[in-house]
Amino acid sequence: MSLTAEGATLTYGRHHRLRRTSALRRLVAETRLAPAALVLPVFVDARIDAPSPISSLPGHARWPVARVAEVGERAARAGVGGLLLFGLPQEKDDRGENAADPLGPVPAALRALRARFPELALIADVCLCEYTTHGHCGVLRGDEIDNDATLPLLADASLAYARAGADIVAPSDMMDGRVAAIRAALDGADFAETAILAYAAKFASAFYGPFREAADCAPSFGDRSAYQMDPPNAREALAEITSDIDEGADAVMVKPAGPYLDVLARARERFDLPLAAYQVSGEYAALHAAADRGWLDLRRAALESLTGIARAGADVIVTYFALDAAAWLAER
Ligand code: PBG
């Protein structure tokens, strides 16, 4: 394109041409969000018999096992790809033994959902923090996490979830070697077909705040920086992902999503396995809080944040917006 203005010839492209109408914009969109790629986190609480709203996660509740099928129903109807289950046990102990209780909230919910919703991928989060009295993600020796002593407990929990019908177990504890330990336990018990989605690059993040209220798993002392990743490190994240793939992960996750889009993009370039991203509780709560004040439009901001995560390279997005986003996408 050229034109003459005051004697000068300007040459430039007309990038606007394909932005002119919503039909054109939709036609040339490089990234498309689909409900099938979204995973809804669900909290199952063994101590309650009615849903208990989570104030810091508007629209979300802890669910009793007896009513978790209602969430499954909503997710299936919305066309969401799967559920990620977290459990709040009846009792905690210092070793988190109840994570592996076959009658615990997650196995019970899996059995209830497995029978009714074949269209949903059922993913069980594997971690001890909801099950330990101290709220850390593994067993302690003194005040420090005992990595190797934690591995068999994570393997036992994974096996309990596989037996109850989980398609995928998703370790979020960040112990070294847990993918290998879980894979060996599953294979040894004839669950070679149960997949592992490793929270491979999970950062020690301030954005987990609301989750810790929801799952009652805030550490009673210290923080998780000695085992979760340090926010400045992206190359190290690739090393973590490489380890988990070498140990047998079928898919890998970056978490949180929004502040770590560079890690996602680099992981997408380097690895060919399915890549998941977790838009965590604080990312969701922050958008809601701002929208409540009239500072941004929730729907547009939520869809834009999810689009950014998909554009960076996530195949699967775990998000508290899963049901809302599926509904918004169906309207577009
Ligand atoms: C640990 C776990 C956490 C989240 C998922 N799994 C909390 C943590 O590491 O402290 C956070 C998810 C969120 O913030 O939405 N079991």
Side-chain angles (χ1 to χ4, degrees):
M1 175 74 204
S2 44
L3 59 77
T4 304
E6 291 161 16
T9 298
L10 303 178
T11 302
Y12 53 90
R14 287 280 178 197
H15 293 293
H16 289 186
R17 277 187 201 118
L18 295 177
R19 294 177 202 157
R20 201 168 45 80
T21 67
S22 64
L24 289 169
R25 292 192 291 275
R26 191 173 61 178
L27 183 70
V28 301
E30 296 176 31
T31 306
R32 296 176 197 278
L33 288 176
L38 304 180
V39 171
L40 176 71
V42 178
F43 299 95
V44 189
D45 192 335
R47 306 162 307 177
I48 56 177
D49 43 35
S52 168
I54 302 163
S55 61
S56 56
L57 293 176
H60 287 264
R62 301 191 201 132
W63 288 83
V65 173
R67 292 187 52 185
V68 78
E70 292 171 37
V71 186
E73 187 72 49
R74 285 180 209 170
R77 201 173 299 154
V80 157
L83 305 179
L84 174 61
L85 301 180
F86 296 94
L88 290 93
Q90 199 74 253
E91 309 236 334
K92 303 181 190 241
D93 61 45
D94 62 346
R95 290 171 49 80
E97 301 266 4
N98 287 332
D101 179 1
L103 302 177
V106 169
L110 284 166
R111 283 189 294 270
L113 295 162
R114 183 70 297 161
R116 288 193 49 189
F117 304 107
E119 65 271 59
L120 293 174
L122 298 182
I123 310 171
D125 182 88
V126 178
C127 190
L128 302 186
C129 69
E130 299 102 306
Y131 301 88
T132 53
T133 41
H134 46 73
H136 279 286
C137 300
V139 285
L140 300 178
R141 191 170 44 195
D143 279 356
E144 290 189 13
I145 209 87
D146 188 340
N147 186 92
D148 295 9
T150 302
L151 301 183
L153 290 153
L154 297 168
D156 285 351
S158 300
L159 203 47
Y161 307 152
R163 287 200 171 102
D167 297 299
I168 303 176
V169 292
S172 66
D173 52 281
M174 286 301 278
M175 297 307 120
D176 290 323
R178 87 266 206 227
V179 174
I182 291 169
R183 187 71 270 157
L186 292 173
D187 291 353
D190 219 8
F191 286 96
E193 297 292 333
T194 304
I196 299 175
L197 163 61
Y199 286 68
K202 176 174 175 179
F203 289 85
S205 174
F207 289 91
Y208 304 150
F211 175 94
R212 292 180 183 171
E213 178 205 324
D216 186 26
C217 70
S220 60
F221 66 90
D223 60 27
R224 308 205 201 293
S225 330
Y227 43 103
Q228 297 181 347
M229 288 195 58
D230 202 21
N233 297 356
R235 287 194 304 271
E236 189 189 352
L238 301 178
E240 279 277 9
I241 296 172
T242 301
S243 290
D244 283 359
I245 293 174
D246 289 347
E247 291 177 31
D250 300 283
V252 291
M253 177 138 72
V254 172
K255 175 187 175 185
Y260 298 91
L261 295 182
D262 59 319
V263 176
L264 262 176
R266 289 168 73 171
R268 175 70 299 158
E269 295 214 333
R270 173 103 51 113
F271 306 104
D272 291 326
L273 293 183
L275 182 60
Y278 197 144
Q279 183 182 52
V280 300
S281 57
E283 300 179 77
Y284 175 84
L287 292 184
H288 263 279
D292 277 354
R293 296 184 172 203
W295 289 349
L296 48 74
D297 179 83
L298 185 66
R299 171 183 168 143
R300 287 186 54 210
L303 289 175
E304 185 176 333
S305 69
L306 294 170
T307 299
I309 295 164
R311 194 185 58 239
D315 303 303
V316 175
I317 306 176
V318 182
T319 173
Y320 299 90
F321 285 116
L323 292 180
D324 295 326
W328 293 328
L329 292 170
E331 286 168 21
R332 288 219 276 217

